[in-house]
Amino acid sequence: MDPILSEIEKALENKGLSAAAASMMAAGHYSLIKNMKASKAGGKRYSVETLEKLAEVLGLELYFGPPRGADPEPPVLDIDGDDFAAIPRLAVEASAGTGALNDDTPEIVGKLAFRRDWLRKIGVKPDRAMLITVTGDSMAPDLRPGDLALIDQDRNAWEHNRVVALVDLDGGLRIKRVLLDPGRAMVLASDNPAHLPELRTKHEAARLTCLGRVVWSGRHWE
């Protein structure tokens, strides 16, 4: 027997219904199941719509899809869509110690997704942000070697007591806390007391470039 009709017969028996009664409940006439059993051009007289109505009456499930019990396909996450924005991670390291690294044309080595509503909350535009890796320990404990720092490139003006990514006099990329005095001289301060502050005169400060403010950081735990 047709496997579909076989399941219908089992359901009728379980429900205690006649084929005519179930047909009336599903289609409003008594001959639905009778017609389904009749041959028509080598096939059967039923459609998906017919089976949906009958399945509801008989307490059956009409299913068409991957085999039950098979491993489902993993969902595809759009990391740069309506809900998430993909921030590029650059192949550069910003020194938070004594050294400095420089790369005029940094390569994008990956992207990290952030929720757009969270970025809006902290005032960051996705197309004006970047992720760089921290080296050195001068900004510890808040920034440690290997941390990822999210830089807001729109906040690139010098402000007192802000942690920023900057290009220093030697062309190296640094992350430091900037302290300004009334004479507009600049101090590159470290949060780690083991590292001494570095003075930049007014003339030297004019040669520095602020790439943006550090607004978030993350790290991998061993």
Side-chain angles (χ1 to χ4, degrees):
M1 178 183 287
D2 183 301
I4 292 178
L5 295 177
S6 178
E7 290 300 324
I8 290 174
E9 290 290 348
K10 293 177 185 177
L12 288 172
E13 184 177 351
N14 291 335
K15 287 283 188 177
L17 289 173
S18 67
S23 297
M24 176 59 72
M25 295 168 65
H29 61 81
Y30 295 107
S31 57
L32 174 63
I33 296 177
K34 179 181 177 181
N35 291 339
M36 289 172 62
K37 294 179 179 180
S39 298
K40 180 183 180 182
K44 297 295 178 181
R45 294 176 179 267
Y46 51 77
S47 63
V48 173
E49 292 78 7
T50 298
L51 293 176
E52 285 179 340
K53 294 177 182 178
L54 194 55
E56 185 176 350
V57 169
L58 298 177
L60 297 175
E61 178 186 10
L62 181 63
Y63 174 78
F64 181 82
R68 299 301 181 96
D71 292 335
E73 290 291 329
V76 177
L77 177 63
D78 185 358
I79 66 168
D80 199 4
D82 294 337
D83 296 326
F84 292 89
I87 305 299
R89 179 179 178 181
L90 305 184
V92 295
E93 295 180 316
S95 175
T98 56
L101 299 175
N102 183 29
D103 191 335
D104 293 330
T105 55
E107 176 189 1
I108 296 176
V109 294
K111 294 183 178 181
L112 189 63
F114 292 82
R115 287 196 60 90
R116 289 185 181 274
D117 53 1
W118 180 78
L119 291 172
R120 286 193 294 269
K121 183 178 180 180
I122 65 173
V124 174
K125 300 175 184 177
D127 59 348
R128 295 290 296 160
M130 62 181 178
L131 290 160
I132 57 179
T133 304
V134 176
T135 63
D137 65 351
S138 75
M139 296 303 292
D142 288 337
L143 290 174
R144 302 177 184 177
D147 283 3
L148 278 180
L150 177 63
I151 310 300
D152 182 0
Q153 295 170 274
D154 273 345
R155 295 183 225 187
N156 58 3
W158 299 113
E159 294 183 61
H160 181 68
N161 202 28
R162 296 294 189 182
V163 177
V164 302
L166 61 95
V167 178
D168 207 348
L169 298 173
D170 60 359
L173 183 60
R174 313 284 300 280
I175 288 184
K176 288 294 178 183
R177 184 177 299 278
V178 173
L179 303 178
L180 304 173
D181 69 18
R184 302 304 291 175
M186 182 182 294
V187 173
L188 304 183
S190 301
D191 288 353
N192 184 345
H195 293 259
L196 296 177
E198 304 171 30
L199 177 66
R200 300 291 184 267
T201 65
K202 181 179 180 180
H203 174 70
E204 290 173 330
R207 294 163 53 196
L208 305 183
T209 301
C210 179
L211 297 181
R213 188 190 304 173
V214 177
V215 293
W216 174 91
S217 65
R219 68 173 58 103
H220 168 68
W221 289 73
E222 296 292 345

